Amino acid sequence: MYPDWPETAADLVPQPLCPGPKLAAFDFQGPQDIEFLEYLGEGLHSHVLRVKIKGQEYALKLFRFGYDESWIGPGQYNANGTRAKLTVLAQYSEPFNAECRAFGRLQEAGYSELAIPCYGYILLDEENERRLQDKFNLEFNGDNEISEDDLRGRFLGERSGKPPPVRCIVKALGSTHARNDPVNFSVPMMRRLFRETVQLQQLGIFCHDTRIENLINDKLADFSTAITVPHFMTTPELNPLLTAKDIEDMELETFMRTMSDYWAYIEMLFFMDRNPAQRSKLLDKIPVLPGGLNPHLAKRLVLRDTPRRKLGHQRVFAMVDPRRYDWKATSAAAAETRGVRKRRPRKTLSAKPELWYLNCTPEEAIKFNNRRDDYHTTGWRVDDAGFVFPASTELGHQEFEDETRRKQGLPLRR
Ligand SMILES: Nc1ncnc2c1ncn2[C@@H]1O[C@H](COP(=O)(O)OP(=O)(O)O)[C@@H](O)[C@H]1O
Ligand SMILES: [Mg+2]
């Protein structure tokens, strides 16, 4: 479930172990020696500290041992509760792994500049953890609320028999915006952020958790909820046993979560309301989707992108289909050059990617176009062979799905 205590440097393999991108271990060029300087902030999944390593300052994100409900996969069903099944889901989705995969993708594709720079992962050794705790006394069990459960001790290392080491990710130190600070982002900055959102999606990364407090140096920086292709949500070829209905459910889920990046972006505009003039300027100059905040612009976007004869029909689209990213090609190339200090030429991302129209009825499209919140299936289910299915297809979950769709005002599927 979690990486065990390493015995030698050879144990520090790129993480996680499932198919797709991986993040290499941070290179200490010698013994692990970290100076813990200052507590910078926290989130649901982590504590972030300013640290010094070999004379250089970094931001170190130290991951908690969180509850299974706090990441996409296990859901509230204990059907996935065995170590083996949880591990399957965790490889793709558990916050540390999700973040390793997103940064791994940016590195292998040569697009690290779309986020804050990342320098690898660390498994904190006992000596450093002791020094950390002497100074900061951090709680690693649970989410960012007080937890009585020994979640770290739940899965002892298969080799060591001990609770696992704390997992960290090293990033460049940057500046943040306080959540309630008056923020006035410029139009060029917000345009760039939208472009980067779409580019990340072109690289097969979505669910960016776009929020003001997650921006570091005005870049996206928190990928602990990100989904990176290939993923059990997006990639039917990981499971040969999926039914057509399963695949349809996965597609819808992927689509809604892709859309949620735009909704989160639009939401962020609302926080910049200390200066109404600036906000109206932003709303006027920034592209939003049909059904977004700016009907005038939305109409223009549809006019430009939809063949005229289709204008009478309501449709819903995402700016790009993240599933189309060719993950096999980059993963193979990355494996070949891993450890070799050679820059591969990066693939150019189209400035105008093909839009992803959801295959749905006009009525559904109208509903989707008016939505802002997250869509989610009832969960995911791992079978005994380790294949992952959307759990809404499970017997008995139909009612749950019906209720969800009814709440959303959507027609029931039969
Ligand atoms: N690179 C960084 N430089 C400075 N502060 C940071 C950096 N990364 C994170 N932080 C601070 O730590 C907080 C939590 O980090 P984040 O990556 O969002 O963790 P979580 O996934 O738990 O939400 C941020 O809101 C920010 O205040
Ligand atoms: Mg965060």
Side-chain angles (χ1 to χ4, degrees):
M1 177 72 185
Y2 302 113
D4 203 353
W5 293 89
E7 281 177 356
T8 68
D11 289 332
L12 295 173
V13 293
Q15 295 283 347
L17 303 178
C18 60
K22 301 172 199 326
L23 186 66
F26 180 83
D27 183 4
F28 280 93
Q29 299 170 329
Q32 187 178 117
D33 188 8
I34 309 170
E35 205 181 326
F36 300 96
L37 300 173
E38 183 195 355
Y39 194 87
L40 292 174
E42 65 171 338
L44 202 59
H45 304 128
S46 69
H47 304 280
V48 179
L49 272 77
R50 182 165 67 88
V51 300
K52 197 186 246 180
I53 302 171
K54 278 196 167 245
Q56 175 73 48
E57 290 199 0
Y58 299 95
L60 189 66
K61 179 165 179 175
L62 302 104
F63 286 78
R64 305 171 196 270
F65 297 90
Y67 287 98
D68 300 339
E69 296 81 31
S70 72
W71 45 277
I72 295 168
Q76 61 270 62
Y77 304 106
N78 47 20
N80 299 315
T82 69
R83 180 176 185 144
K85 289 181 178 184
L86 270 177
T87 301
V88 171
L89 298 167
Q91 296 288 347
Y92 292 95
S93 250
E94 197 274 339
F96 170 76
N97 292 328
E99 191 147 318
C100 284
R101 299 183 88 234
F103 280 112
R105 166 62 42 76
L106 290 177
Q107 291 177 2
E108 71 182 17
Y111 278 90
S112 290
E113 84 273 11
L114 294 184
I116 191 94
C118 171
Y119 302 104
Y121 79 88
I122 291 176
L123 302 178
L124 213 56
D125 68 19
E126 279 169 337
E127 167 63 17
N128 279 288
E129 183 174 345
R130 193 182 49 72
R131 282 193 292 109
L132 164 77
Q133 295 297 42
D134 283 350
K135 196 162 171 186
F136 292 98
N137 193 23
L138 304 177
E139 177 61 65
F140 283 102
N141 279 314
D143 306 329
N144 55 352
E145 284 173 10
I146 293 170
S147 164
E148 309 243 299
D149 301 315
D150 179 17
L151 292 168
R152 186 175 179 182
R154 196 163 56 135
F155 299 112
L156 302 179
E158 269 165 353
R159 189 174 55 199
S160 69
K162 295 195 291 189
V166 172
R167 303 152 304 155
C168 319
I169 291 181
V170 188
K171 303 182 198 177
L173 196 59
S175 59
T176 55
H177 300 274
R179 191 190 311 226
N180 299 315
D181 236 21
V183 192
N184 278 316
F185 291 139
S186 68
V187 170
M189 184 267 165
M190 286 304 287
R191 277 180 175 275
R192 170 179 61 72
L193 206 59
F194 191 79
R195 198 168 58 240
E196 289 172 352
T197 299
V198 176
Q199 286 178 316
L200 284 164
Q201 295 182 342
Q202 285 177 281
L203 292 168
I205 306 167
F206 57 104
C207 246
H208 307 148
D209 204 6
T210 304
R211 275 182 287 136
I212 287 175
E213 64 267 32
N214 280 343
L215 295 178
I216 312 286
N217 292 353
D218 294 341
K219 290 256 171 189
L220 290 167
D222 177 1
F223 291 103
S224 53
T225 60
I227 295 166
T228 301
V229 170
H231 189 284
F232 57 79
M233 183 191 293
T234 61
T235 315
E237 69 181 280
L238 297 174
N239 179 358
L241 302 174
L242 293 167
T243 63
K245 166 83 166 53
D246 290 333
I247 293 171
E248 197 186 310
D249 286 350
M250 287 160 61
E251 173 164 292
L252 183 61
E253 178 85 358
T254 302
F255 184 81
M256 297 314 283
R257 291 197 183 260
T258 303
M259 296 294 279
S260 74
D261 283 338
Y262 316 134
W263 295 333
Y265 172 90
I266 289 166
E267 189 99 320
M268 210 165 67
L269 292 177
F270 271 108
F271 282 99
M272 293 170 224
D273 58 0
R274 305 293 168 107
N275 178 344
Q278 175 69 3
R279 193 171 86 177
S280 77
K281 203 161 95 191
L282 283 166
L283 294 184
D284 218 44
K285 296 239 172 84
I286 282 163
V288 288
L289 291 171
L293 283 182
N294 189 332
H296 175 62
L297 266 178
K299 211 165 122 211
R300 280 219 316 257
L301 204 63
V302 176
L303 276 170
R304 201 190 68 211
D305 292 313
T306 315
R308 217 154 242 296
R309 63 191 158 75
K310 299 228 167 108
L311 270 180
H313 299 268
Q314 272 282 347
R315 298 213 285 168
V316 55
F317 64 83
M319 303 306 287
V320 56
D321 181 351
R323 299 172 305 171
R324 294 179 68 152
Y325 181 76
D326 186 359
W327 59 274
K328 282 189 201 148
T330 45
S331 293
E336 230 167 69
T337 53
R338 194 163 283 140
V340 183
R341 285 194 180 277
K342 197 176 133 220
R343 279 198 146 261
R344 280 175 295 112
R346 69 177 185 179
K347 221 175 128 227
T348 319
L349 296 179
S350 162
K352 208 164 171 290
E354 201 179 311
L355 301 174
W356 177 18
Y357 286 94
L358 182 68
N359 192 8
C360 66
T361 65
E363 292 76 28
E364 281 179 313
I366 291 167
K367 296 287 180 211
F368 287 143
N369 276 330
N370 289 319
R371 287 176 54 83
R372 293 287 175 279
D373 50 335
D374 274 352
Y375 176 87
H376 58 89
T377 67
T378 59
W380 301 85
R381 175 177 62 87
V382 187
D383 74 1
D384 290 335
F387 291 120
V388 185
F389 298 80
S392 55
T393 60
E394 220 178 344
L395 214 65
H397 289 182
Q398 186 66 49
E399 286 147 30
F400 186 99
E401 194 200 12
D402 286 354
E403 190 193 292
T404 311
R405 291 182 72 87
R406 227 177 268 124
K407 268 193 213 142
Q408 290 163 354
L410 296 175
L412 303 185
R413 290 174 195 245
R414 285 286 174 250

